[in-house]
Amino acid sequence: MGETVEIVEVGPRDGLQNEARLIPTDEKIALVDLLSCAGFRRIEVASFVSPKWVPQMADGAEVLAGIRRTDGVRYMALTPNMRGLEGARAAKADEIAVFASASEGFSKANLNASVIESLGRFDGVVRAATADGLTVRGYISCVTDCPFDGPVPPSQVAVVASALEAMGCNEISLGDTIGRGTPEAVDAMLEAVLNVAEMDMLAGHFHDTSGRALDNVDVALARGVRIFDSAVGGLGGCPYAPGAAGNLATEALDAHLTTLGYVTGLNRAVVAKAGRMAREMRHGGG
């Protein structure tokens, strides 16, 4: 049997957050319930952010309350501050995530704070969560390119990764937020991050905007990364990153990894069905 690679399904949160159609809560619950049958260990379900800024995620508590929780599946929620952490706790999220940027331009657009200021905000959130026994994932956006600042030096990504690890994050997901990363840039970024973080705590999060997501997955695999994020149906995009539409599709990632001989543990038929459901949600087909 081949080596195991974990696929973290982010469609219900990162995939849906930027959809123009306000998707009903029951449709989100149905998608998560189907994904729970596919073999994922973790599904990112909700975001406890201000509904003023991300209205699509305003029903996170209702989604977490309505899903059928499956043994062996952890349900994650994004929490930018203490208020978000309290909401995630109350909704019984199994794992939380905070999100920093490697670039100043994106940090100011997304968080209305400098990189250093944002890390200061997250420190209390992460420490409070870990004190409660919650696992915390740290996202880093714009690890190769920023829509405002252009190319991002690998050293900046390493600084943020080091800070997230120091405050207690168990995992760091490295995001090519606008999908402009080349294999060369991804490799240089990973080399820098590996100077400050252990390989087994890193995940790759590649958007396919420029059609290079699987090439970047291959570079990360060669470096030893064994956790990747993706969204069924290729849903995705960040409201604060122009041109970011298009997470790597889970169906494509699963097929690619399987072809390379890795084991994902996913049921391909269920994943395909979830992908169809996600695309129908986008177009209002329920």
Side-chain angles (χ1 to χ4, degrees), residues 12-241:
R13 197 283 300 177
D14 190 39
L16 296 180
Q17 69 174 2
N18 202 34
E19 290 301 314
R21 171 184 175 247
L22 197 61
I23 297 168
T25 302
D26 61 347
E27 292 186 24
K28 295 175 183 175
I29 291 170
L31 178 61
V32 175
D33 284 347
L34 181 56
L35 290 167
S36 293
C37 302
F40 295 102
R41 297 183 213 170
R42 289 181 288 170
I43 303 171
E44 193 179 56
V45 172
S47 179
F48 287 86
V49 298
S50 170
K52 176 182 177 182
W53 302 115
V54 190
Q56 188 71 259
M57 294 288 107
D59 59 352
E62 289 79 9
V63 173
L64 276 162
I67 60 175
R68 292 192 302 271
R69 297 186 184 231
T70 299
D71 289 344
V73 182
R74 297 174 62 80
Y75 299 92
M76 294 196 299
L78 204 66
T79 59
N81 49 38
M82 289 301 296
R83 184 174 180 179
L85 175 59
E86 291 302 326
R89 279 172 173 157
K92 297 181 170 54
D94 298 309
E95 185 172 337
I96 69 157
V98 296
F99 49 101
S101 172
S103 72
E104 293 293 344
F106 188 74
S107 186
K108 290 183 173 69
N110 191 31
L111 298 167
N112 195 30
S114 69
V115 172
I116 293 298
E117 287 169 343
S118 72
L119 291 170
R121 292 178 189 175
F122 297 142
D123 187 73
V125 176
V126 175
R127 293 185 190 280
T130 54
D132 277 355
L134 280 171
T135 301
V136 184
R137 166 182 254 217
Y139 281 104
I140 306 179
S141 303
C142 300
V143 296
T144 62
D145 296 86
C146 170
F148 308 102
D149 301 346
V152 175
S155 59
Q156 290 181 204
V157 187
V159 167
V160 177
S162 180
L164 290 172
E165 182 179 20
M167 66 180 74
C169 289
N170 303 84
E171 184 174 270
I172 297 171
S173 178
L174 301 162
D176 176 20
T177 308
I178 58 174
R180 290 185 193 162
T182 63
E184 295 76 16
V186 169
D187 193 56
M189 178 272 297
L190 286 169
E191 183 175 15
V193 171
L194 284 169
N195 287 325
V196 301
E198 295 297 322
M199 176 57 69
D200 61 3
M201 73 179 300
L202 300 181
H205 184 117
F206 301 113
H207 283 216
D208 206 28
T209 318
S210 301
R212 287 190 292 246
L214 290 176
D215 293 335
N216 292 332
V217 165
D218 288 343
V219 167
L221 285 168
R223 282 281 182 181
V225 176
R226 294 295 181 267
I227 307 167
F228 294 93
D229 302 344
S230 61
V232 286
L235 296 176
C238 176
Y240 299 98

